[in-house]
């Protein structure tokens, strides 16, 4: 009987799909409550000049202390991060928290990088709300905020993405293209975007020693960043060999477990004091 209904109708009764939808609703509901209950926290990972060892910036990475499920990584709740409403609520909390933490560190030229979900970046009024938020942090130079946006914004959204990035640029906020090389950005798209930074995806870095093609891709990204005058950051540096290969190829700023793992804000404060001796903590 069921078979004769055809595959389209079977989807309707799929218990697996029902279960997924149920878990998704639960996750979204828990996330919304979690924001109010302050269950989210930001960890930070340093971005350093691998030659001078100076710290350039820190990337904020969200974690969730879920009351039942325990400590969660963004990959565990990406559906909430990417959700049109919940994702924006979380994203606005992240921006505010990162700016607040920046005022606590009080190092004017330290860059704090914040990951922005595509749905958040493209939501109506994003630039205006960012501008309003920055006004509530008069001591933070907008240049000290860098938004990491994914290259995987769908093709249909590229024109709106260009407008938003231009709007951020007009505020003085910096924009980085995250996971560069894995998405859809064409060269003509790069030409239209006032970007400040490219981030080389960790998948290329991790194969840098073993795979000739990945090395060639990195070499191209280095050349591209020099031609377009972008800052360049490599992520996923897990060994001294990775670091040396990147320096040899002309990429000087890096981020990865070999340099430091993401850590709490307090641990980051200590790390800066230990490793950032030649910058003034005023
Ligand atoms: P991403 O922005 O590309 O961040 C880099 C990820 O690589 C982080 O994972 C970081 O912990 C990890 N990582 C750093 N160094 C190394 C290394 O040497 N080796 C390896 N294997 N991994 C390394 P995490 O924290 O689990 O975040 C995963 C992704 O979740 C991020 O990728 C970002 O796309 C997203 N994300 C993180 N925080 C936020 C947030 O506040 N909002 C939004 N919308 N997305 C976020
Ligand atoms: Mg990122
Ligand atoms: Mg990345
Ligand atoms: Mg990534």
């Amino acid at each position: 009987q069921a078979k004769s209904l055809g595959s389209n109708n079977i989807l309707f009764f799929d218990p697996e799909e029902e279960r997924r939808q149920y878990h998704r609703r639960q996750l979204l509901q828990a996330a919304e409550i979690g924001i109010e209950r302050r269950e989210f926290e930001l960890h930070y990972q340093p971005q350093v000049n691998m030659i001078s060892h100076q710290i350039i910036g820190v990337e904020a990475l969200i974690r969730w202390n879920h009351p039942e499920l325990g400590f969660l990584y963004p990959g565990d709740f990406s559906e909430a991060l990417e959700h049109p409403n919940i994702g924006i609520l979380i994203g606005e909390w992240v921006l505010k928290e990162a700016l607040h933490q920046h005022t606590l560190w009080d190092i004017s030229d330290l860059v704090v990088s914040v990951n922005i979900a595509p749905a958040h970046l493209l939501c109506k009024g994003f630039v205006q709300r960012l501008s309003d938020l920055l006004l509530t942090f008069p001591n933070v130079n907008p240049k000290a905020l860098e938004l990491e946006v994914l290259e995987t914004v769908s093709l249909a959204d590229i024109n709106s993405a260009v407008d938003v990035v231009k709007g951020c640029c007009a505020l003085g906020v910096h924009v980085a293209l995250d996971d560069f090389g894995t998405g859809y950005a064409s060269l003509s798209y790069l030409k239209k975007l006032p970007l400040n930074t490219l981030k080389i995806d960790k998948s290329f870095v991790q194969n840098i020693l073993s795979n000739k093609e990945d090395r060639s891709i990195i070499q191209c990204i280095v050349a591209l960043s020099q031609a377009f005058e972008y800052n360049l950051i490599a992520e996923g540096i897990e060994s001294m060999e990775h670091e040396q290969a990147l320096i040899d190829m002309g990429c000087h700023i890096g981020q990865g477990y070999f340099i430091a793992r993401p850590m709490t804000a307090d641990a980051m404060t200590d790390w800066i004091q230990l490793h950032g001796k030649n910058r003034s903590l005023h």
Side-chain angles (χ1 to χ4, degrees), residues 47-92:
Q47 304 173 325
V48 305
N49 181 314
M50 296 182 285
I51 298 169
S52 70
H53 301 291
Q54 257 218 332
I55 180 167
I56 308 294
V58 295
E59 178 174 8
L61 296 159
I62 195 167
R63 272 80 181 106
W64 183 4
N65 290 300
H66 191 288
E68 283 125 40
L69 302 175
F71 192 74
L72 302 182
Y73 289 86
D76 303 323
F77 55 95
S78 55
E79 286 196 312
L81 290 171
E82 285 155 20
H83 186 270
N85 303 325
I86 309 294
I88 292 166
L89 288 177
I90 299 174
E92 304 231 300

Side-chain angles (χ1 to χ4, degrees), residues 88-157:
I88 292 166
L89 288 177
I90 299 174
E92 304 231 300
W93 175 82
V94 170
L95 276 168
K96 197 168 156 185
E97 178 69 16
L99 288 168
H100 172 67
Q101 185 56 52
H102 193 281
T103 64
L104 296 181
W105 281 320
D106 195 22
I107 306 169
S108 57
D109 58 348
L110 182 80
V111 175
V112 61
S113 295
V114 172
N115 293 283
I116 306 289
H120 186 195
L121 185 80
L122 298 174
C123 79
K124 201 164 171 289
F126 177 83
V127 175
Q128 185 58 52
R129 276 203 303 283
L130 181 60
S131 165
D132 293 345
L133 181 65
L134 284 165
L135 287 176
T136 66
F137 292 96
N139 295 328
V140 180
N141 185 335
K143 275 199 187 71
L145 176 64
E146 185 155 86
L147 306 182
E148 295 195 2
V149 306
L150 287 171
E151 202 198 342
T152 44
V153 182
S154 82
L155 284 173
D157 294 332

Side-chain angles (χ1 to χ4, degrees), residues 7 134 144 167 196 210 269:
S7 56
L134 284 165
N196 301 90
S210 58
T269 306

Side-chain angles (χ1 to χ4, degrees), residues 59 148 178-179 199 201-202 235:
E59 178 174 8
E148 295 195 2
D178 205 351
D179 300 356
K199 292 195 77 177
D201 190 64
K202 56 176 173 290
E235 62 177 26

